[in-house]
Amino acid sequence: VREYVLTRMTRPRALPATMRELNMEHALAREALRLALHAPGSRLAGLHPVDVVLATGGVLANAPHPALAALILLDAIQPRGITSLVVDTAGLATMLGAIPGLSPRAAAELSETDAVALLLGSVISTAGQPPPGELALRVVLEFADGRQQSQEIERGTLTRLLLAPNERATLSL
């Protein structure tokens, strides 16, 4: 691991060549995010709930599957409440921060078109521990056509509720 970390420090743009390297890359990214959130003096520590997490960086933007980026973010940040996870796939988020000072209209247009971001999805995270044998959450997803999808979520689990692109539904918790 030490050799891999040193190699990554000297060649930060190198891509992982094996599954083992990819796993180490993701573990390092998760730990870096966690340490940044809990560092002394961090303005991010204790920010719960967070409406939107905008993640940037090659590890997240180049993840082999968007779900891997989402899992890294969930594990590192452990958000509470309802949070949207977004990845800056073009790596432009830091540069776009300067645009409002130059042209507020251009900044608004870029944010409305979502030109640089990939919405991974919305996450609903509960806090606390239900007693053993009790459900953490019961969800009902009601679609516009009247269909319903319900699920019982046990504590400590992740569950995906799928919507087609541009499909709308009402979620009851």
Side-chain angles (χ1 to χ4, degrees):
V1 171
R2 180 179 293 144
E3 182 181 320
Y4 182 76
V5 171
L6 290 173
T7 301
R8 292 296 292 143
M9 289 172 68
T10 57
R11 295 183 184 92
R13 300 218 182 266
L15 295 174
T18 66
M19 186 57 80
R20 182 172 187 244
E21 288 181 358
L22 182 66
N23 289 336
M24 283 193 285
E25 189 88 4
H26 289 171
L28 292 169
R30 179 232 177 258
E31 190 63 11
L33 286 167
R34 190 189 67 75
L35 289 172
L37 285 173
H38 300 293
S42 172
R43 293 181 292 166
L44 302 174
L47 283 180
H48 290 290
V50 176
D51 291 334
V52 177
V53 171
L54 173 61
T56 188
V59 174
L60 297 170
N62 298 320
H65 193 281
L68 286 174
L71 288 173
I72 292 168
L73 290 171
L74 288 174
D75 193 27
I77 297 170
Q78 297 187 5
R80 286 183 235 140
I82 301 173
T83 307
S84 294
L85 300 178
V86 181
V87 173
D88 173 24
T89 55
L92 297 175
T94 52
M95 290 180 272
L96 292 177
I99 290 180
L102 301 171
S103 173
R105 182 179 179 144
E109 288 176 8
L110 277 171
S111 65
E112 286 175 2
T113 60
D114 295 331
V116 298
L118 168 66
L119 177 63
L120 298 175
S122 295
V123 177
I124 300 167
S125 304
T126 59
Q129 292 282 340
E134 288 194 27
L135 295 175
L137 198 60
R138 181 173 289 118
V139 298
V140 177
L141 198 58
E142 188 173 339
F143 298 90
D145 63 5
R147 292 180 295 129
Q148 285 191 348
Q149 176 185 351
S150 63
Q151 277 190 284
E152 295 180 340
I153 313 297
E154 295 180 22
R155 72 180 191 167
T157 62
L158 293 173
T159 302
R160 276 181 25 178
L161 300 173
L162 299 176
L163 290 175
N166 298 320
E167 185 176 30
R168 293 190 172 268
T170 302
L171 180 65
S172 300
L173 307 171

